[in-house]
Amino acid sequence: MGFRSGRGCWLGAALGAAGALLPLFSAPGMAAAGAAVADAPAKIRIAFAGDSIVDNYWAGVGRIIEGNPCLKDAVELGRFAKNGTGLTRGDRTYWPREIKRVDAAFRPTLSVLSIGLNDQQFIVDGSGARTAWGAPDWTDKYRHELDEFLKAAVETRAIVLLIGMPAMRDVKENIAISEKNALFAEAVAALGDANLRYVEPWRLHAEGPETFASYGPDKSGRLVQIRTTDGEHFTTAGEDLAASYLFPKIIEALDEAGRGLDRCLGRQTKDQHQVRDQVSGQISGQVSDKVTDDPAAAVRR
């Protein structure tokens, strides 16, 4: 009791001293500083969630953000990739539930999602029920899990970009990837949510069928390794190429939602679009000669 009483006396004296100092902190300069802090726009939060491919996108976009001091102050990235997961193995990570956890913890303005890389297998749903790989109802079950994932992702009214998967080296895997991308586009269109959109995957080839290549021109046209030796993921140079494609999609979606970043980009954004288009044209003209799987033909970055 004596300790509590002494503490009360100490608090009373401290509050009295603080009251005497209040006029010092109500000067016009301090008030203006307080108003400036209050008027500062809240950070735009971008979550990257899904399987390991989304980690490549997070890394590439992160370097864009780091290269612009204004963007560093205006944007916060959240990294929520889980390697080896997907929509099939709910016994490991059930993504319709996991994306809700991510949204509750991070409260994203916009979410970048990539999923499906590891889904050529049997399905375990959130209740533990199994559907065999190759079973007649496998596709219907997968479509159901995809719908549950997308509905959970838009539940908080965040903007959601579902990114299609890029070309893979393995022929069978590449066919499966193409089929899933078609499912993704159909599911997004069927859900019809204004905050949800499907984004076509990054392509090395500007026109014609997209085929896998380990090496290709970087943004400057120099031949570098752009995909890793597993035939699935991106190298650092490949991440930068994919991010230069994806970041304008993010900016566009934010603009349409009234959360534009003109204060950080302004005219620079238009210039970047023009430069990117020019580079794409240069790369398109060089692709037939320069894309390759031959390490000896490329300079590693």
Side-chain angles (χ1 to χ4, degrees):
M1 293 295 293
F3 176 78
R4 290 181 181 176
S5 176
R7 185 183 181 192
C9 292
W10 180 86
L11 282 173
L15 289 172
L21 291 173
L22 280 177
L24 297 177
F25 291 93
S26 59
M30 293 297 295
V37 171
D39 292 341
K43 275 196 171 186
I44 289 173
R45 294 184 170 191
I46 304 176
F48 290 77
D51 58 36
S52 52
I53 290 287
V54 87
D55 241 353
N56 290 146
Y57 302 146
W58 166 83
V61 171
R63 284 189 287 276
I64 293 175
I65 301 297
E66 286 293 315
N68 183 318
C70 179
L71 286 176
K72 285 180 67 175
D73 290 337
V75 178
E76 180 181 355
L77 303 186
R79 182 184 186 184
F80 301 101
K82 285 184 172 288
N83 292 357
T85 65
L87 296 176
T88 54
R89 295 301 300 275
D91 53 332
R92 295 180 178 175
T93 299
Y94 187 59
W95 271 106
R97 187 164 49 235
E98 180 67 14
I99 196 62
K100 289 184 179 182
R101 186 194 68 78
V102 169
D103 288 346
F106 188 65
R107 298 191 178 278
T109 312
L110 180 145
S111 294
V112 175
L113 309 180
S114 180
I115 204 112
L117 180 65
N118 308 295
D119 286 347
Q120 286 73 253
Q121 58 175 302
F122 61 91
I123 297 172
V124 182
D125 65 18
S127 62
R130 292 175 174 255
T131 303
W133 170 244
D137 61 340
W138 189 95
T139 299
D140 289 339
K141 182 65 176 179
Y142 189 81
R143 186 179 289 111
H144 171 77
E145 295 302 315
L146 174 61
D147 288 343
E148 292 299 303
F149 176 55
L150 296 177
K151 285 187 285 188
V154 298
E155 199 171 85
T156 62
R157 310 313 301 162
I159 307 161
V160 177
L161 305 183
L162 178 62
I163 316 301
M165 289 177 285
M168 304 292 168
R169 176 188 289 132
D170 182 82
V171 175
K172 290 183 178 179
E173 183 180 17
N174 209 33
I175 292 172
I177 290 298
S178 297
E179 292 172 348
K180 285 186 177 61
N181 284 345
L183 280 179
F184 295 163
E186 291 170 6
V188 169
L191 196 56
D193 192 289
N195 289 325
L196 173 66
R197 63 185 67 186
Y198 172 71
V199 177
E200 292 287 343
W202 169 86
R203 292 169 53 94
L204 179 60
H205 305 80
E207 298 178 356
E210 177 69 352
T211 56
F212 178 89
S214 295
Y215 297 85
D218 66 7
K219 290 182 289 187
S220 67
R222 185 169 63 98
L223 192 63
V224 295
Q225 183 176 354
I226 58 174
R227 304 294 290 271
T228 57
T229 54
D230 64 7
E232 296 177 338
H233 297 86
F234 292 96
T235 63
T236 299
E239 289 172 347
D240 290 340
L241 283 178
S244 70
Y245 163 77
L246 178 58
F247 189 63
K249 306 290 186 185
I250 293 173
I251 295 299
E252 179 184 348
L254 289 171
D255 280 343
E256 291 182 5
R259 297 299 305 273
L261 287 164
D262 287 350
R263 64 187 184 279
C264 295
L265 301 172
R267 178 167 178 78
Q268 179 186 1
T269 302
K270 295 180 181 179
D271 293 341
Q272 285 175 340
H273 280 290
Q274 292 172 357
V275 170
R276 189 183 67 253
D277 291 342
Q278 291 171 2
V279 170
S280 296
Q282 293 170 358
I283 290 177
S284 175
Q286 297 163 346
V287 155
S288 60
D289 295 329
K290 286 195 172 183
V291 295
T292 178
D293 275 333
D294 179 12
V299 177
R300 291 177 183 258
R301 183 172 180 177

